[in-house]
């Protein structure tokens, strides 16, 4: 109580005008070598202060229902939420008043000292100001994403309209949902599917808190057609390629506790993992290889450093604000190395001759295959992966079980969830269906590059990331990413090394001047003989790279010469050109042949 009393006297809350004035500072994103990648410059006109009475009631209700349901009655904090946060160690303890304190002080560290001062100031401001004044201050300093602060600039950025009482419940729920993590929930940073889930969460809160009836909520739809694409490209400040990169970096910074307003308040510099030479090579190769191809062709490329998870190149495409490197797509046979890894973990022999099945019944679906294993109708898994024979791998998935196949991919590094959606599952988020056997479940190029990097790093897994360090305006490091490098399979380094060694030797070599492991894959368009997309994913010990080629909407993909798109055509060519350019002049490096699970046959 004495400490509380002293802190009450000494600590004070800054006004929203003072907080907004601090947001004039520029945040610099740097390449891994310290050179400038880009600047996040404050948008001068995007911080219009809105008085309480000018804030639409629907937006006020949506924010209170989502962020702090007891706001109008509590003493500056929610004891129930605070207790839950202290017991579980998980967020959820900060209501609107505490969030304002956090934003106004610029201190968002997860420490008891910060929480204590936050409680003191929340109590003090609640005694000195009305709830309307607190809410007015809060809503005007929070970020809604896209460089906006306050509801007026947010309404204009997302819906192209002035802020007034014509705002709909659907629009209010969308904007209220942005507050938690704007760089993640923006549909043009993630997907409309993800943003819709966040919107539905807010709508459910409005029903639960009594602001809307269930019937009213059911009658409303997510306002997809009304949401504008971001304008900060081309004629604005950055190219599409840099826009995607910036959005991914900002989303990652939010997840580690450094949202954009905190970075701006401290005029911080962010050191990314991007290698400017690799980034330039990726942009050059994609543009050159797709020049002259049909206009609907799209492509992306992500390159990850094995053993560290550092993303050295990230190209989401130069066509629009849609980030093709951060969008999940079906992987086809590019998923086979994960099924193989799951089998190796359970003792299968890649050189045992197997009869290639013409038909496999797996989890209620019948798969039929043409004979791709030669005249004898038999081939080893080593031969099958080189021939793109699906039968032996679907048969292997059936023997292992769907859970084991999923676990093999998870162990290699495929994340459990992306933007809140569980990966490697049916759309219900629970069942694992037969699609896992043929790479039907969509994954992002960044996921694939990161998981293949585990094989390149002798079985050591590390989370792919774009942020390395954060420095304050004096150059002092205030945050640095810790290493999470660990054995991928059963936490057993020797086993992980053997599995990775075998996978590396089984895959086809993709480069002329040095050993390299490469796997291609195709994603079939409906029941046709054409493909909707193609993959090329592979690695050397220095770099793991995933290339995807497809289009905005699923369709038959034929190149300029009328040839069917497969992973072995344009995707493979892009991969080879990029990897050759990156490795030019570097010495050859490859693991010793002894690092295998079973004796390897020369190829």
């Amino acid at each position: 109580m004495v400490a509380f009393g002293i802190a009450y006297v000494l600590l004070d809350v800054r006004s929203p005008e003072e907080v907004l004035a601090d947001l004039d500072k520029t945040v610099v994103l740097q390449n891994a070598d310290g050179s400038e990648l880009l600047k996040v410059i404050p948008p001068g006109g995007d911080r219009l202060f809105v008085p309480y009475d000018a804030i639409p009631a629907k937006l006020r209700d949506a924010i209170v229902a989502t962020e702090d349901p007891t706001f109008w009655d509590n003493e500056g904090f929610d004891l129930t939420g605070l207790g839950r946060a202290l017991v579980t160690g998980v967020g959820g303890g900060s209501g609107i008043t505490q969030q304002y304190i956090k934003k106004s002080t610029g201190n968002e560290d997860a420490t008891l000292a910060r929480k204590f001062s936050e409680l003191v100031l929340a109590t003090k401001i609640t005694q000195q100001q009305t709830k309307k004044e607190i809410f007015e201050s809060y809503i005007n300093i929070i970020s809604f994403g896209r460089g906006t602060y306050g509801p007026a600039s947010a309404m204009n950025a997302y819906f192209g309209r002035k802020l007034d009482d014509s705002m709909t419940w659907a629009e209010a729920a969308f904007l209220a949902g942005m507050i938690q993590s704007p760089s993640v929930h923006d549909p043009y940073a993630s997907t409309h599917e993800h943003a819709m889930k966040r919107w539905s969460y807010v709508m459910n809160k409005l029903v639960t808190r009594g602001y809307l009836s269930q019937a009213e909520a059911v009658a409303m739809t997510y306002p997809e057609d009304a949401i504008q694409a971001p304008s900060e490209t081309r004629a604005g400040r950055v190219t599409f390629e840099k826009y995607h990169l910036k959005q991914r970096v900002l989303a990652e910074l939010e997840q580690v506790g450094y949202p954009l307003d905190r970075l701006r308040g401290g005029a911080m510099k962010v050191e990314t993992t991007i290698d400017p030479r690799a980034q330039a090579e990726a942009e050059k190769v994609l543009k050159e290889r797709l020049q002259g191809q049909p206009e609907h062709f799209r492509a992306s490329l992500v390159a990850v450093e094995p053993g560290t998870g550092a993303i050295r190149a990230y190209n989401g495409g130069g066509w629009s604000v849609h980030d093709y490197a951060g969008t999940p797509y079906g992987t086809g046979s590019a998923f086979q190395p994960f099924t193989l890894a799951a089998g190796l973990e359970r003792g299968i022999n890649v050189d045992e001759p197997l009869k290639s099945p013409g038909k496999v019944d797996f989890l209620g679906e019948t798969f039929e295959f043409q004979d791709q294993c030669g005249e004898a109708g038999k081939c080893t898994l080593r031969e099958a992966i080189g021939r793109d024979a699906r039968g032996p791998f679907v048969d292997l998935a059936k023997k292992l079980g769907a859970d084991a196949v999923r676990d093999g991919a998870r162990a290699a590094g495929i994340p459990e969830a992306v933007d809140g959606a569980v990966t490697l599952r049916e759309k219900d988020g629970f069942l694992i269906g037969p699609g896992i056997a043929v790479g039907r479940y969509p994954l992002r190029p960044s996921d694939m590059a990161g998981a293949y990097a585990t094989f390149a790093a002798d079985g050591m897994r590390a989370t792919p990331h774009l942020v390395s360090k954060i420095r304050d305006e004096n150059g002092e490091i205030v945050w640095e990413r810790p290493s999470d490098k660990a054995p991928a399979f059963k936490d057993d380094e020797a086993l992980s090394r053997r599995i990775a060694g075998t996978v590396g030797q089984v895959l086809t070599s993709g480069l002329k001047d040095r050993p390299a492991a490469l796997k291609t894959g195709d994603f079939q368009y409906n029941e046709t003989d054409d493909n909707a997309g193609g993959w090329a994913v592979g690695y050397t010990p220095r770099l793991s790279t995933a290339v995807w080629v497809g289009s905005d909407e699923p369709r038959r993909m034929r190149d300029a010469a009328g040839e069917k798109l497969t992973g072995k055509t344009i995707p493979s060519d892009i991969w080879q050109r990029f990897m050759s350019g990156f490795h030019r002049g570097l010495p050859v490096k490859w693991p010793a042949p002894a690092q295998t699970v079973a004796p390897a046959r020369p190829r």
Side-chain angles (χ1 to χ4, degrees):
M1 291 299 294
V2 171
F4 191 95
I6 295 172
Y8 189 95
V9 173
L10 295 179
L11 298 176
D12 210 350
V13 184
R14 294 195 303 163
S15 71
E17 289 81 6
E18 291 176 302
V19 176
L20 289 173
D22 268 353
L23 298 177
D24 280 327
K25 299 174 182 176
T26 295
V27 176
V28 178
L29 305 186
Q30 299 175 320
N31 290 305
D33 62 2
S35 61
E36 184 179 304
L37 173 60
L38 59 90
K39 290 180 178 177
V40 184
I41 302 171
D46 283 353
R47 286 166 288 164
L48 303 174
F49 194 91
V50 181
Y52 178 85
D53 291 337
I55 302 168
K58 292 185 178 72
L59 181 59
R60 295 199 303 262
D61 292 342
I63 291 174
V64 170
T66 308
E67 297 295 321
D68 189 355
T70 67
F71 171 72
W72 298 113
D73 303 311
N74 64 41
E75 295 300 318
F77 49 86
D78 180 357
L79 284 174
T80 302
L82 180 61
R84 182 173 61 250
L86 289 173
V87 171
T88 63
V90 180
S94 292
I96 284 174
T97 307
Q98 288 171 269
Q99 287 183 46
Y100 174 70
I101 301 300
K102 190 188 304 179
K103 298 295 182 184
S104 67
T105 60
N107 184 0
E108 302 192 35
D109 294 330
T111 63
L112 288 175
R114 193 269 296 172
K115 205 70 178 176
F116 175 73
S117 64
E118 189 179 284
L119 290 175
V120 173
L121 288 172
T123 303
K124 186 172 183 176
I125 195 175
T126 301
Q127 293 176 348
Q128 294 179 346
Q129 297 183 20
T130 66
K131 288 288 186 176
K132 288 184 178 180
E133 289 173 325
I134 294 171
F135 189 87
E136 177 186 85
S137 297
Y138 162 78
I139 199 173
N140 277 288
I141 70 168
I142 56 174
S143 171
F144 288 85
R146 299 190 181 182
T148 65
Y149 292 88
S153 54
M155 188 67 183
N156 181 60
Y158 288 101
F159 296 105
R161 304 211 332 263
K162 290 177 62 177
L163 184 75
D164 55 35
D165 287 335
S166 68
M167 173 181 281
T168 67
W169 276 115
E171 292 167 341
F174 177 86
L175 291 180
M178 288 295 104
I179 294 171
Q180 183 202 54
S181 186
S183 290
V184 174
H185 296 320
D186 186 339
Y188 287 90
S190 53
T191 61
H192 276 294
E193 184 180 10
H194 168 79
M196 188 186 299
K197 289 179 181 178
R198 180 64 183 166
W199 178 85
S200 298
Y201 172 84
V202 177
M203 293 297 292
N204 288 334
K205 290 294 182 184
L206 284 166
V207 173
T208 303
R209 311 300 184 197
Y211 294 100
L212 281 175
S213 69
Q214 186 66 49
E216 288 174 318
V218 168
M220 295 174 196
T221 57
Y222 169 72
E224 178 174 347
D225 293 340
I227 301 169
Q228 298 186 137
S231 59
E232 193 190 349
T233 55
R234 298 300 189 191
R237 295 175 181 165
V238 294
T239 63
F240 288 128
E241 290 92 344
K242 283 193 173 180
Y243 176 79
H244 303 143
L245 186 52
K246 186 194 78 169
Q247 290 301 107
R248 289 294 158 188
V249 169
L250 292 180
E252 194 173 304
L253 286 164
E254 279 185 12
Q255 292 166 0
V256 299
Y258 282 84
L260 182 55
D261 50 359
R262 185 179 186 184
L263 297 168
R264 279 182 171 152
M268 296 181 183
K269 291 185 177 180
V270 178
E271 182 181 308
T272 73
T273 59
I274 292 296
D275 176 344
R277 189 174 67 86
Q279 185 72 9
E281 186 71 23
E283 188 168 333
K284 178 175 77 76
V285 169
L286 281 185
K287 285 181 177 178
E288 288 179 352
R289 186 58 184 87
L290 291 185
Q291 188 173 7
Q293 295 300 329
E295 290 186 0
H296 59 270
F297 268 55
R298 302 287 183 264
S300 62
L301 183 153
V302 180
V304 175
E305 183 176 82
T308 68
I311 297 177
R312 298 307 185 190
Y314 187 99
N315 190 313
W319 294 275
S320 70
V321 294
H322 182 81
D323 180 1
Y324 297 92
T327 303
Y329 305 99
T331 58
S333 54
F335 188 82
Q336 287 178 351
F338 306 131
T339 306
L340 179 63
L344 291 169
E345 189 176 354
R346 289 156 182 78
I348 62 131
N349 184 346
V350 296
D351 291 308
E352 178 183 351
L354 303 170
K355 183 173 178 58
S356 181
K359 183 170 70 173
V360 178
D361 294 317
F362 179 49
L363 295 179
E365 184 172 343
T366 299
F367 295 89
E368 296 186 8
F369 312 100
Q370 295 180 344
D371 183 13
Q372 294 175 297
C373 277
E375 296 180 2
K378 285 187 176 182
C379 60
T380 65
L381 287 173
R382 183 189 298 276
E383 293 168 335
I385 205 167
R387 294 171 180 263
D388 274 338
R390 294 191 306 157
F393 279 91
V394 176
D395 199 41
L396 176 60
K398 180 178 181 179
K399 291 173 182 175
L400 296 172
D403 287 345
V405 175
R406 176 206 58 196
D407 292 345
R410 291 263 190 273
I414 297 299
E416 292 189 15
V418 172
D419 295 334
V422 180
T423 61
L424 302 178
R425 301 282 178 90
E426 294 294 320
K427 290 185 177 180
D428 61 11
F430 296 99
L431 295 175
I432 308 176
I436 197 167
V438 289
R440 193 178 296 156
Y441 295 146
L443 295 171
R444 301 174 301 179
S446 52
D447 301 329
M448 293 292 281
Y452 270 60
T454 297
F455 301 130
D458 293 339
M460 300 299 286
R461 183 183 62 236
T463 303
H465 60 275
L466 278 162
V467 179
S468 175
K469 298 183 183 74
I470 304 172
R471 299 178 188 272
D472 62 19
E473 53 190 333
N474 298 317
E476 298 294 322
I477 296 175
V478 296
W479 183 88
E480 186 170 7
R481 176 172 289 279
S483 172
D484 63 353
K485 182 178 178 180
F489 300 95
K490 294 185 177 178
D491 292 325
D492 185 328
E493 187 170 349
L495 173 64
S496 299
R497 183 182 293 272
R498 290 195 299 271
I499 290 174
T502 301
V503 170
Q505 291 192 11
V506 165
L507 295 180
T508 304
S509 179
L511 296 174
K512 296 177 180 178
D513 65 335
R514 67 189 65 228
L518 174 64
K519 184 72 187 80
T520 59
D522 322 311
F523 193 69
Q524 186 179 9
Y525 177 68
N526 294 337
E527 301 301 318
T528 70
D529 291 331
D530 285 314
N531 294 317
W535 288 82
V537 193
Y539 55 87
T540 69
R542 297 182 188 277
L543 204 66
S544 172
T545 299
V547 174
W548 168 87
V549 177
S551 61
D552 288 313
E553 299 294 336
R555 59 183 295 171
R556 288 182 171 90
M557 296 293 290
R558 296 263 173 168
D559 64 18
E563 297 296 323
K564 179 172 75 172
L565 174 73
T566 70
K568 293 180 179 180
T569 57
I570 294 177
S572 178
D573 193 32
I574 291 173
W575 185 91
Q576 290 170 0
R577 291 187 188 196
F578 169 76
M579 292 291 275
S580 294
F582 175 84
H583 287 88
R584 191 173 294 119
L586 297 176
V588 175
K589 178 182 176 185
W590 195 253
Q595 298 167 0
T596 59
V597 172
R601 195 185 299 176
R603 291 182 60 79

